[in-house]
Amino acid sequence: MAYFDAASAAPLHSVARQALLASLDEGWADPARLYREGRRARMLLDAAREAAAEAVGCRPDELTFTSSGTRAVHTGIAGALAGRRRTGRHLIVSAVEHSSVLHSAEAHEAAGGSVSRVTVDRAGAVDPAGYAGALRPDTALACLQSANHEVGTEQPVAAVAELCREAGVPLLVDAAQSLGWGPVEGDWSLLTASAHKWGGPSGVGLLVVRKGVRFAAQGPGDERESGRAPGFENLPAIVAAAASLRAVRAEAAAEAARLRELTERIRARVPRLVPDVEVVGEPVRRLPGVVTFSCLYVDGEALLHELDRAGFSVSSGSSCTSSTLTPSHVLRAMGVLSEGNVRVSLPMGAAEEDVERFLEVLPGAVAAVREKLGAPTAAVAREEDVLVVDSLGKRCPIPVIELARVIGDVPVGGLVRVLSDDEAARLDIPAWCEMRGQQYVGEEPAEHGTAYVVRRTS
C-alpha cells in the first residue's frame, strides 16, 4: 500500500520510535519533582525544549508543549486576543486557514469580536496588500499559515509579518505543514505546529510566544508549561517529537529536492494522462511533497475508493467526501474546481516506483468512475430561448455532467440554465466554464435551489 496522505499525518519517523521507547523507561516521573527520577525527567524535558526551540528559531523559554497542534492554535489565538484586549477585538485571518484557526475566529465573533477574512488568488496565495488593507487601530491579532494544508501553496509570511510589525500587531503563524522542512522566515510573533505532521507522535503540539508579546492564558491556572498548557506533560511523546524534528531537518534539503521532482512529475503528467483535469495551487512557491488536482465529472469519494482498491491512500477536498456536502473551504476560496479532487502528499522516503504506478493506475480509476456516472439522463426543458437542466436533488458531479451533455444542443450564443440545490454547483459550474471555454453568466434565484446560467461561446 502506498501512503500518499502525509499532509494529514506523516508516518512515525524511526528516530521518533527509538526516542519514544527509550523515554518510556527514563521519562515516566514528574519533571516538577526534586528527587532523582523527577530530575531525570526534567533533564529530558529541558533537552527536548532546547532542541525544538533550535529548530523553530526561538528561545527555549518562549516554547510551550501542548497536547496537539489544534490546542496550540486555540490557546495561542485566545491568549493573544486576551492579552491585547485594551487595543481592540479585531482579528485578521486568511480565507484558507486551517479549520482550527477558522473555528477560533468563529468563536471570537460569537463572543462579540470582529473578524476580517483576507481573500486569496486562484493559486491559494494571499496578497500582503490584503493584510495591509485589513489592519485597523483596533486590530489585536493577525493569523497566517506558512503553507496551505490542501494545495501546498506557501504564503508570503515575511512580507505580512513586516506589515504587521510596522502596525504594532502580532502575527500568529500556523506552521504545521512547513516546520519539518525548515524554520519560518520573517519577524512573526507567535507560532504553532504539530508533531504528527513531521513524523513525530500524535498528541504533541508547539506554541511559541515571543518575548514582548502581550499574552494572557485563558482558563484555570496551572503551574506547568508557563501556565499555557495545563496538565501532566506527555514526556515520552515530547522527547520523540523533538528528536524526530531534529532528524527530519537533517534530511530536509536533499529530500525536498527529491520530492519536488516527483510532485512536478505528477503535476505535468496528470493533465496529459487524464482529460478534463485542473491542477490547482501555486506551481513554484509550494511545499515539496504536495500536489492537488480536480477531475471533471468525477465523484470524489468514489475516486478515493477506486484508488484505495488499487493500493493508494490519498485525500480529497471534494464536497462528495464530506458529511456536509459542501466543498472544501480552501477550494471554494480559490474559486477552482472542487469535484473529483485528489490531494497527493508524499511522505519522506516515498518511492519513485510508487509514484509511477500511481500515474499508471489513475487514468483507469478516473475512467471507471466517469463510466459509472455517465448514465444519468438530464431532465431538459426549454424556457423560450433558454435550455433548462433540472438537476435538483442530484449531488456533485451530476449537475456538471448534465450541463456538459446538453451544451452542444444550444446554438453558439444560446443559454443553458442549470437548476441545482447542491452548494458545490456554485463553485464547480463556473470552474467548468473556465476549463471548457464557455461563459458563466451568473446565478439567479429559482423556486427551488439556484439557477446557474451558462452561455455557449464555442
Side-chain angles (χ1 to χ4, degrees), residues 52 63-73 191-196 198 201-208 225 229 237-238 241:
L63 187 147
T64 297
F65 291 110
T66 67
S67 59
S68 68
T70 295
R71 173 52 60 191
V73 167
L191 180 141
T192 63
S194 186
H196 76 281
W198 66 67
S202 59
V204 180
L206 303 183
L207 169 61
V208 178
E225 292 298 308
I238 287 172

Side-chain angles (χ1 to χ4, degrees), residues 305-316:
H305 286 316
E306 286 286 334
L307 291 172
D308 182 53
R309 283 194 289 269
F312 295 96
S313 301
V314 297
S315 183
S316 175

Side-chain angles (χ1 to χ4, degrees), residues 123-125 145-148 151-155 281-282 285-287 334:
Q145 59 192 192
S146 55
N148 187 260
V151 299
T153 298
E154 294 180 346
Q155 301 292 0
E282 166 61 42
R285 289 183 53 84
R286 58 184 302 100
L287 291 170
M334 293 167 62

